[in-house]
Each structure stands twice: as structure tokens, then as C-alpha cells.
Amino acid sequence: MMEGSRQVETSRLEAYWREQLRLIITLLVIWFAVTYLHPPFAASLNKIKILTGFPLGYWLSSQFSITVYVILIFVYALTMNRVIDKKYGFEEE
């Protein structure tokens, strides 16, 4: 009887970590794309001016990237607190 509940708890923890790892990998792929995909094209992108005359390559690396990083932090925190922790019974009071 005790062994059965321990096995259920172990499988619940493994599912929790699998889902958390899936979220982390997804967010890391977005982080990688935002960080490393546009610099090789920066010279070409800088020929395009946006808003008040900023070069697009500069804007992507200075404003857009930082904005995306902050959004990724919020997405991780909200998803963990409101979805994954609640789904597996690890929510805080």
C-alpha cells in the first residue's frame, strides 16, 4: 500500500519536472532566436529606419531584445504559478 502511493508521488514529480523542462526549453529557444538570429543581418537591418529614425538592427538589439527578455520572465513566472504548480498541487498559499 505504501509502495503504491510512493510510486504515484514519484510519477507526479516526474511529470511536473517534465512539464517544467518543456516550458524552460521553449523559452530558451525564444531567447536564443531573439539574441542570436538578428546580429548576422545587423548591417542590412540598419538600412531600415523605424520610429524616430532608429536603425532596425540597433533597435532589435537594444530595445526589442530586452523587452522580450522581460516578457519571457513574466511568462515563466505566470505559467509556473497559475498553470503548472496548480496542476500538480505545488501551489503556494
Side-chain angles (χ1 to χ4, degrees), residues 24-50:
I24 290 170
I25 289 172
T26 302
L27 295 177
L28 280 176
V29 168
I30 295 169
W31 170 84
F32 181 84
V34 168
T35 304
Y36 292 108
L37 291 185
H38 74 275
F41 309 106
S44 304
L45 292 172
N46 281 338
K47 294 175 184 169
I48 301 170
K49 305 290 183 200
I50 61 165

Side-chain angles (χ1 to χ4, degrees), residues 1-11:
M1 185 81 166
M2 188 75 156
E3 185 65 33
S5 66
R6 189 174 293 166
Q7 193 169 24
V8 169
E9 181 67 15
T10 301
S11 65

Side-chain angles (χ1 to χ4, degrees), residues 7-90:
Q7 193 169 24
V8 169
E9 181 67 15
T10 301
S11 65
R12 184 175 71 104
L13 288 173
E14 287 174 355
Y16 173 77
W17 286 112
R18 240 186 339 267
E19 194 158 342
Q20 185 179 10
L21 187 61
R22 188 178 317 124
L23 173 65
I24 290 170
I25 289 172
T26 302
L27 295 177
L28 280 176
V29 168
I30 295 169
W31 170 84
F32 181 84
V34 168
T35 304
Y36 292 108
L37 291 185
H38 74 275
F41 309 106
S44 304
L45 292 172
N46 281 338
K47 294 175 184 169
I48 301 170
K49 305 290 183 200
I50 61 165
L51 301 176
T52 57
F54 284 107
L56 181 59
Y58 170 77
W59 184 81
L60 285 173
S61 64
S62 64
Q63 301 294 316
F64 179 73
S65 298
I66 293 171
T67 304
V68 170
Y69 300 153
V70 172
I71 290 171
L72 291 177
I73 291 168
F74 279 108
V75 167
Y76 177 79
L78 290 175
T79 304
M80 286 303 298
N81 286 334
R82 295 187 179 175
V83 179
I84 296 175
D85 286 353
K86 190 176 284 187
K87 181 178 177 181
Y88 292 98
F90 293 113

